[in-house]
Amino acid sequence: MITFFPFGGQEQAVLGSHPHAVNDVKVNRRDPEIVATGAADHSLRLWNVEKRILIAIFGGAEGPRNQVVSVSFHDYYPIVAGTGIDHTIHFWDLGSAELEGAIAASKDYAMHQYTFKPVLQHMPKWVTRDIHSNFVDCIAFWGDWVITRSVNEDIILWRCGRDGEHLMDLKVREDCLFGRI
């Protein structure tokens, strides 16, 4: 179970749960009522904290093969990323018509009118296992660049796609540019 308490101490929201331990929680700074979680159940989930509902589950056929350890929202693009023990990095597109519709519907949702059905996303916008050779325990965005850290203490600044391309232009499994920190 995931419980949020604001500074005043009153319980703000209790969300349903992943079936296994939650490893990371991030608030979307562009839309603070939207939260992402990564967990030991091999999935990343998107929640509406104010309405206390699950919006989407990212995982399955092309998703993580092990625990999701770190999640991050991009500040400018509708992307949420997840990293994990399988040393993959997944970018999930929140700007698709289906997910934009689900996020909008979550904001208008009134309990007891109907059961909110979460979107199931099995295909990420982009995925790679080529950045780190061990599991990736931290991810952050810096413009079109990504900073990731592996448990073997490699911190890598990198970007995907070709020079001059933006993250939203990516296709699955495109080239990456690397720079080690």
Side-chain angles (χ1 to χ4, degrees):
M1 185 173 310
I2 303 166
T3 307
F4 290 89
F5 291 91
F7 289 113
Q10 294 281 50
E11 183 179 287
Q12 176 68 26
V14 176
L15 304 177
S17 185
H18 290 265
H20 298 284
V22 174
N23 295 322
D24 198 12
V25 178
K26 290 291 182 338
V27 174
N28 186 344
R29 289 188 282 192
R30 294 179 343 143
D31 192 352
E33 70 189 270
I34 305 302
V35 170
T37 56
D41 64 2
H42 308 190
S43 75
L44 187 152
R45 296 182 183 216
L46 195 68
W47 307 85
N48 182 316
V49 177
E50 285 187 21
K51 299 293 183 166
R52 303 175 187 204
I53 55 173
L54 175 62
I55 300 169
I57 301 171
F58 303 93
E62 295 296 322
R65 301 278 187 241
N66 209 316
Q67 294 187 42
V68 176
V69 178
S70 181
V71 296
S72 183
F73 287 99
H74 194 280
D75 286 337
Y76 311 119
Y77 303 120
I79 294 174
V80 64
T83 66
I85 290 179
D86 61 358
H87 75 266
T88 58
I89 299 162
H90 291 82
F91 291 176
W92 301 92
D93 186 3
L94 301 179
S96 69
E98 182 179 33
L99 275 164
E100 281 186 344
I103 292 167
S106 78
K107 294 176 182 192
D108 294 332
Y109 177 73
M111 270 190 220
H112 309 298
Q113 286 184 343
Y114 62 93
T115 302
F116 193 91
K117 186 175 180 184
V119 172
L120 302 176
Q121 285 286 307
H122 300 290
M123 183 63 136
K125 177 171 186 58
W126 189 84
V127 61
T128 187
R129 295 180 55 134
D130 298 333
I131 309 298
H132 295 279
S133 61
N134 208 331
F135 81 76
V136 185
D137 64 354
C138 188
I139 185 168
F141 288 102
W142 184 47
D144 278 341
W145 292 83
V146 184
I147 303 169
T148 50
R149 179 191 179 274
S150 178
V151 294
N152 58 1
E153 299 187 8
D154 282 345
I155 297 172
I156 301 177
L157 173 66
W158 56 278
R159 67 184 298 275
C160 24
R162 293 172 181 80
D163 212 13
E165 277 187 309
H166 296 289
L167 285 173
M168 291 308 296
D169 300 328
L170 289 177
K171 307 230 179 343
V172 173
R173 298 209 185 269
E174 289 207 12
D175 298 330
C176 296
L177 301 171
F178 299 94
R180 290 196 184 269
I181 297 176

